[in-house]
Each structure stands twice: as C-alpha cells, then as structure tokens.
Amino acid sequence: MDALTAARAQMEVSLGFHMIFAALGIALPGFMCVAEALYLRTGRPHYLALAKRWSKATSLLFAIGAVSGTALSFELGLLWPRFMEFSGGIIGSAFALEGYAFFVEAIFIGLYLYGWDRISPRAHWFCGLAVTLSGTASGVLVLAANAWMQAPRGFDLVDGRAVNIDPWGPFQSPSWLPMSLHMTLAAYVAVAFAIAGVYAKGILRGKADDEHRSALRLAMIVGAVAAVLQLPSGDIAARVAAEHQPAKLAAMEAHYETRRGAPFMLGGFADDATETVHYGIEIPYALSLLIGHDPNTEVTGLDRIPRDERPPTALVHIAFDVMVASGMGLIAVSLGYWLMRWRARREEGWTAPKWLLSTLVWASPLGFLAIEAGWMVSEVGRQPWVIFKVMRTRDAVTPAAGVELTFALFVLLYAALGATLVFFLRRMARRTAETAETTATAEAAHGA
C-alpha cells in the first residue's frame, strides 16, 4: 500500500467513524431539550426520565466524539501537510469558530448534567437549549471548511500560493449553506429513526408504557418532517453541484454524455471503460427537470471533463443511489406509520402493530447509512482534487514514510473507542431497565 492510498484510507475510516458522533451531537440534544420541555409543561414523569436518559447518552457520545474529532485534527496535519500549508490561513477561521462552539457545548453539557435540582427548571432547560444550538453551530461551522474544499473562495492564486486571503472565504463558498442544511437535516433523520428503532424494539419486548410510546411518537414526528424536508434540500445541493462541480453531479448520475433532456438514472453499474451503465433504469428528462426546472435544460456530462479530472464514477454513482434509496425508504416508513396512526386516531393508548414496529427496527440504521453514503458522494466526488481545481490530492499527501503504520494505529484507536462506547451503552441500558419500573410507578401516581 503506497502512502497516498494509506492516507486516504485512514481519512475515510476516521471520517466514517466521527461522522456518526457528529450527527448524534447535532440532533440528540434537541430530543433531550424537547423531552424536558414536555415535562415542564405536563409534569408527567416519563418525559423527565427521557430527558435524563438522553442527556446521559449525549454526554457519553460527546466524550467519544471529542476524542475522534481531536484525532482527525491531528491527521490533517500529519497526512496532508501541503494542504494545511496552503489552506491553513483560509480555513483556520472556520475551525477556530467551531472550536468556540465546541467549548460552549462542553460548558453547557456540564451545567445540564449537574444542574438537575440545583438550578431553576427554566434555567436548566435553557442550558439544554444552549447545548442544542452550540452542537448544531459546531457542525455548521466546521462544514464551512469542507465546503471551501468543494468550491474555494476568498483568495487569489499566484504562483501556486494563496495571497490576498479573506478569512471569511470559507463562509462565501456557494456549497456552505446547502451542505449545512442537508447535513443538519440528515442528522435529525438519522437520530430520529435510530431512536424510533430502539423504542419500537422495546415495545415489541412488552414495554408498551408511556415512556416508550412517547419516545416513539416524538421520534416519528421529527424523523418524518426532517426526511420530507430533505427532498428540497437535496434538490438545492444538486443544483449547486451542477453549477460549481459538474463532474461530481455527472458521476452521481453516471451521466456520460452532455445533452438536453437528460434522463435521471436509477441504479445500475457505471462502466467508465465503455461509458455505459448496465442494468440502470432511465427516467426521461428527469435530470434536466431537476437541475434546471426545465425538461430541456442542458446537463454537462463526463464527456466534457478531462479524463484525468474525473472522479471514480462507479463508486460515486452507487453511493448516491444508496443515499437516495435510504432516504426514500425512510419517507415510505414515515408515511406508513402516520397513515396507521391516523386510522387509529380515536383509539386511546394506540400502539403500532408488530409488523410496523419490526419495520421501524429494521429501518433504524438507514439514516446513518445515508449519511455515510452521502459523505462518500461528497468526498469521492471531489476527486482527484483535495481543493477543487486548485490542488490535487496526490500533491497534498505527506512525503514521510510509515503512513501504513499510523493507519493501523488509528484503526486500533477507533476499535477501542467503539468497544468503549458499546460497553457504556449496554451498562446504561441495564440501568434503564432497572429504573423503568420506578418511572412507571410514578406515572401511575401522577395519573391517579
């Protein structure tokens, strides 16, 4: 394995691992905050139990995510020194602001965890709101750096060096806001359906109490709304890609020939050697309609991209299909759940049928699968550039030897972090079962 391959593999593993915690850090505090708000409004103990449970999970995931995020920052300097030398003065502002948001989040997580019964309920809830907002801000700010790599702004390129640097350049990238919106919604979709799967499994095991039903209903409200909003969000992101990164869009759609009335390609396997797609299904005019809102819009194909500037089409196209299929699958599950819920609207204490609960359990990983596939589209679709049209990935990698060793060490690190997470989550689940009976008793007393 050469240094470039090992460095790219290490970044892929690191980003793939950290991405899960980034999504959880964005969305889980929001659920925690809503559960406490419902408790303050209704006084029902099971909402308090949910808020406390999700706050413990938030703190644990925050700790693991902080370690993996710190490792990523070291990797940028160790593996890609030429990239950091060129861009450090430009994207440094995005990382600095993300750091401020991270510290605010850490402070308010501490206040939230240790503030139960020590500060007023309203002040405590505002601490949760601060955790939610700072977690989202952290994700949005760090995405500015990645958006700048997709569509760089804020500098002049003179003799291979960046001059006349504008520190706000990353926030001027046309990719920033679409990526931020898409990722934030994706985080809420993934976390909502993960929560729905956990509590649906609990109900299937006979725990159809108020806590499980309320958690499932809240998750399905958030998940359904966020999943539907992903449709216009994805449309915006695709049109930005068509304008600023036509090679990426062409690879996503395995669109080899520039033409008007371009079809949307569903599935299939792209073959760069013959520039054809095997077993794909074409929807006539759909791609032109989506990109230009006109069925005769011309869509740039890979035939206008030099061969040495094309991303690996087969991989990007499959990842894009996986992302879209996962998202559409979750929308279908949402529609099924709410249709059943509407039909039983006059039924007190309604519980979803077993087949629907089982479907929710099986669908629960799809949101995270969509996030991983989406990031593969974003990062692989940018290749062969690390900074689009400015620096190739092969020119940014470290010339030092031993990258294979650091790759192995980081894989061990992430394996250890994953094992630690599983250990503490299982321990937390056992304690949850032990306290469930106490909560049910308190709920019965409240109802009486």
Side-chain angles (χ1 to χ4, degrees):
M1 183 182 291
D2 59 36
L4 176 59
T5 304
R8 289 186 64 182
Q10 184 171 327
M11 289 302 294
E12 287 160 5
V13 171
S14 302
L15 279 170
F17 185 86
H18 183 68
M19 198 59 59
I20 296 171
F21 298 94
L24 288 162
I26 288 172
L28 190 55
F31 282 92
M32 173 187 82
C33 207
V34 171
E36 186 177 9
L38 290 170
Y39 168 68
L40 294 176
R41 181 179 177 184
T42 66
R44 303 191 67 175
H46 71 272
Y47 287 124
L48 178 63
L50 282 175
K52 287 189 173 181
R53 193 154 297 131
W54 288 342
S55 68
K56 291 177 182 176
T58 296
S59 63
L60 174 61
L61 295 165
F62 177 84
I64 300 289
V67 175
S68 63
T70 303
L72 261 176
S73 64
F74 281 116
E75 288 177 78
L76 283 174
L78 288 171
L79 300 176
W80 312 103
R82 292 169 181 166
F83 163 72
M84 292 305 296
E85 179 185 5
F86 180 90
S87 62
I90 307 172
I91 61 175
S93 56
F95 284 122
L97 291 173
E98 189 267 345
Y100 284 121
F102 173 82
F103 288 128
V104 170
E105 185 180 8
I107 290 168
F108 279 98
I109 282 179
L111 290 173
Y112 193 86
L113 288 176
Y114 294 101
W116 293 106
D117 303 323
R118 292 183 174 87
I119 57 179
S120 72
R122 188 179 296 272
H124 189 266
W125 181 81
F126 273 106
C127 289
L129 181 62
V131 174
T132 303
L133 295 178
S134 56
T136 301
S138 182
V140 169
L141 290 168
V142 80
L143 276 172
N146 188 275
W148 179 84
M149 295 163 67
Q150 310 288 341
R153 296 289 187 277
F155 68 98
D156 294 323
L157 188 62
V158 178
D159 297 329
R161 300 182 62 84
V163 299
N164 300 324
I165 292 172
D166 180 354
W168 297 106
F171 304 99
Q172 299 168 17
S173 170
S175 299
W176 179 46
L177 291 178
M179 287 181 68
S180 299
L181 177 62
H182 205 53
M183 180 60 207
T184 302
L185 287 172
Y188 274 93
V189 171
V191 174
F193 281 95
I195 290 175
V198 168
Y199 285 90
K201 190 172 184 178
I203 295 173
L204 282 171
R205 290 180 173 177
K207 300 175 182 174
D209 50 31
D210 288 338
E211 181 178 335
H212 281 74
R213 287 202 302 269
S214 295
L216 178 57
R217 184 169 60 250
L218 176 60
M220 290 308 298
I221 291 173
V222 175
V225 172
V228 171
L229 289 177
Q230 278 293 55
L231 295 176
S233 166
D235 177 63
I236 294 170
R239 283 189 283 125
V240 169
E243 182 177 357
H244 299 282
Q245 293 180 287
K248 177 189 287 186
L249 180 79
M252 288 160 56
E253 275 299 309
H255 181 59
Y256 286 101
E257 179 188 358
T258 302
R259 57 186 285 194
R260 297 182 184 278
F264 190 96
M265 182 66 69
L266 283 176
F269 299 94
D271 184 346
D272 280 338
T274 59
E275 299 194 346
T276 55
V277 180
H278 304 290
Y279 310 113
I281 301 173
E282 289 188 354
I283 302 177
Y285 300 99
L287 183 58
S288 289
L289 188 61
L290 288 172
I291 297 304
H293 295 172
D294 180 335
N296 292 312
T297 299
E298 181 178 277
V299 180
T300 302
L302 288 166
D303 57 346
R304 289 191 181 172
I305 309 297
R307 284 191 174 273
D308 68 341
E309 295 183 9
R310 297 182 186 180
T313 311
L315 183 56
V316 177
H317 179 60
I318 288 176
F320 178 69
D321 281 347
V322 169
M323 178 185 70
V324 173
S326 299
M328 297 306 291
L330 291 176
I331 289 176
V333 171
S334 301
L335 289 174
Y337 175 88
W338 285 110
L339 177 62
M340 295 293 294
R341 185 72 185 87
W342 179 78
R343 292 177 64 180
R345 60 190 181 279
R346 292 189 178 87
E347 185 179 329
E348 289 291 333
W350 177 77
T351 301
K354 287 185 177 179
W355 68 265
L356 183 54
L357 293 170
S358 298
T359 303
L360 289 170
V361 172
W362 284 103
S364 59
L366 289 181
F368 286 103
L369 178 63
I371 287 179
E372 298 288 356
W375 272 97
M376 191 175 291
V377 170
S378 179
E379 298 304 290
V380 180
R382 193 188 62 239
Q383 301 303 318
W385 308 96
V386 64
I387 306 171
F388 188 64
K389 291 289 186 182
V390 175
M391 180 183 291
R392 289 179 184 265
T393 306
R394 70 184 181 212
D395 296 329
V397 74
T398 177
V403 178
E404 300 87 344
L405 177 61
T406 67
F407 174 39
L409 292 175
F410 272 88
V411 168
L412 290 175
L413 169 67
Y414 294 127
L417 288 175
T420 303
L421 176 65
V422 170
F423 171 78
F424 280 107
L425 286 179
R426 288 174 63 87
R427 185 176 177 181
M428 191 181 298
R430 282 198 299 271
R431 291 188 175 181
T432 296
E434 292 170 0
T435 57
E437 188 175 343
T438 304
T439 304
T441 303
E443 189 72 27
H446 179 273

